[in-house]
Amino acid sequence: MPRVLVNDPRTCAKIGKAMKKHIRTMGMQMTEAQCIELCARMFGYRNHNEVLANLSDTPSLTDMHLPPEELEVRARQYLDHFEQAGFPREFARNVLANLSAGRWLGLGRVLSTMPR
C-alpha cells in the first residue's frame, strides 16, 4: 500500500475534523480522534503518531493534484480503510466523493468512473 507523505503535522487533524462533521451530517457518529486515526490509516500508516514521525520534506501530491490513474489507486486505498472501519462501501463512497478538506478528498471525479 503506497504511503501518502505529508509535511504538515496538522494534515490528518484537518481532514479528521472535516470528516467528523461530514459523517455526522450523514447520520452516523465518529469522534474526531477516530477520524484522525482513520485518515492516518488511509494514508498508509498504522496510526497518527506514525504520520507525525514520518513527516517529509517532499510530500506527496494532494488528491486534487494527482493524475486520474494515481487518484484511482488512492481512492481504492481510502475506500478499503473506510470499510475496515466498519462503514458500508456506498457510505464510504459518498463521504469520499463529497467531503473535501483543502486539497484533500473530494474524489467525486474519480469515484464516478470506478465500478461499484
Side-chain angles (χ1 to χ4, degrees), residues 12-13 16-17 20 30-37:
C12 286
K17 185 174 185 173
K20 176 188 173 203
M30 200 167 177
T31 68
E32 195 166 321
Q34 290 171 318
C35 290
I36 291 168
E37 292 300 316

Side-chain angles (χ1 to χ4, degrees), residues 6 22 24 26 29 34 42 47 58 61 74 87-88 92:
V6 297
H22 189 74
R24 182 173 287 161
M26 295 176 64
Q29 297 293 317
Q34 290 171 318
M42 287 170 28
N47 55 48
T58 310
L61 291 175
R74 196 177 281 177
F87 291 102

Side-chain angles (χ1 to χ4, degrees), residues 15 18-19 22 82 94-101 104-107:
I15 294 170
M19 191 183 300
H22 189 74
F82 258 89
N94 189 315
V95 171
L96 293 173
N98 296 303
L99 166 69
S100 63
W104 295 100
L105 305 177
L107 304 175

Side-chain angles (χ1 to χ4, degrees), residues 28 30 38 41 79-89 91-92:
M28 294 188 83
M30 200 167 177
L38 176 55
R41 289 190 303 279
L79 282 170
D80 290 346
H81 284 285
F82 258 89
E83 282 187 305
Q84 289 171 13
F87 291 102
R89 192 154 186 93
F91 182 88

